[in-house]
Amino acid sequence: MHALYRVAALAALAAGLAGCTQTTQSESTSMSGSTAAAMRTGSPQDEQACLTAVAQQTNNTVTVLSSEFSEANTLVMVGVGPNRAPWRCLVSRGIVSEVMSMVNEGAL
C-alpha cells in the first residue's frame, strides 16, 4: 500500500513541477513593420533605443530578434535587412553602450 502512495505522491510532484517552466513569448515589432515571435525580457524603451542605433549604423530595416534583461545592460539581438543579419546591442535605460555586427565579415 505504501508503494501506491509513493507513486501517487511522485505523480503529483511531477505534475506540479511541469507547471513551473514557462517561456516568455511576444510579438516583436520592427521598424520595417513586420512581426515575429521572439524571446524578450528587455524593456520596450531599451529595444527601441537599440533599433534606432542599429538602423542609424546600417541604414537598413531592423527587427528585434530577442532581448535579455540584466541589471548591468540589456542584450538586444537585432536582425538587419531582409535576411535579418544578426547584430548585438547593449543598452541600459534607453542609453546604448555598444552596437556590433555578429556576422563573420571575413567569410564574405
Side-chain angles (χ1 to χ4, degrees), residues 70-74 91-92:
S70 168
E71 289 191 31
N73 279 311
T74 296
V91 61
S92 180

Side-chain angles (χ1 to χ4, degrees), residues 6 11 16 18 22 25 33-34 37 39 41 44-45 55-56 62 67 74-75 77 92 95 97 106-107:
R6 284 185 183 170
Q22 179 181 5
Q25 285 192 333
S34 63
M39 294 295 295
T41 58
Q45 174 190 15
Q56 286 175 345
V62 293
S67 64
T74 296
L75 169 67
M77 293 302 294
S92 180
I95 300 171
S97 61

Side-chain angles (χ1 to χ4, degrees), residues 46 49-58 62 75-76 78 80 86-91 95-102:
D46 285 347
C50 281
L51 286 175
T52 301
V54 174
Q56 286 175 345
Q57 274 202 6
T58 63
V62 293
L75 169 67
V76 180
V78 177
V80 175
W87 280 64
R88 182 180 87 167
C89 177
L90 296 178
V91 61
I95 300 171
V96 175
S97 61
E98 180 181 299
V99 173
M100 184 171 92
S101 173
M102 300 304 291

Side-chain angles (χ1 to χ4, degrees), residues 12-66:
L13 179 63
L17 289 176
C20 290
T21 58
Q22 179 181 5
T23 58
T24 303
Q25 285 192 333
S26 64
E27 289 294 312
S28 70
T29 58
S30 70
M31 294 186 78
S32 65
S34 63
T35 61
M39 294 295 295
R40 298 181 40 194
T41 58
S43 74
Q45 174 190 15
D46 285 347
E47 290 179 359
Q48 187 59 51
C50 281
L51 286 175
T52 301
V54 174
Q56 286 175 345
Q57 274 202 6
T58 63
N59 199 28
N60 209 330
T61 58
V62 293
T63 303
V64 173
L65 300 175
S66 65

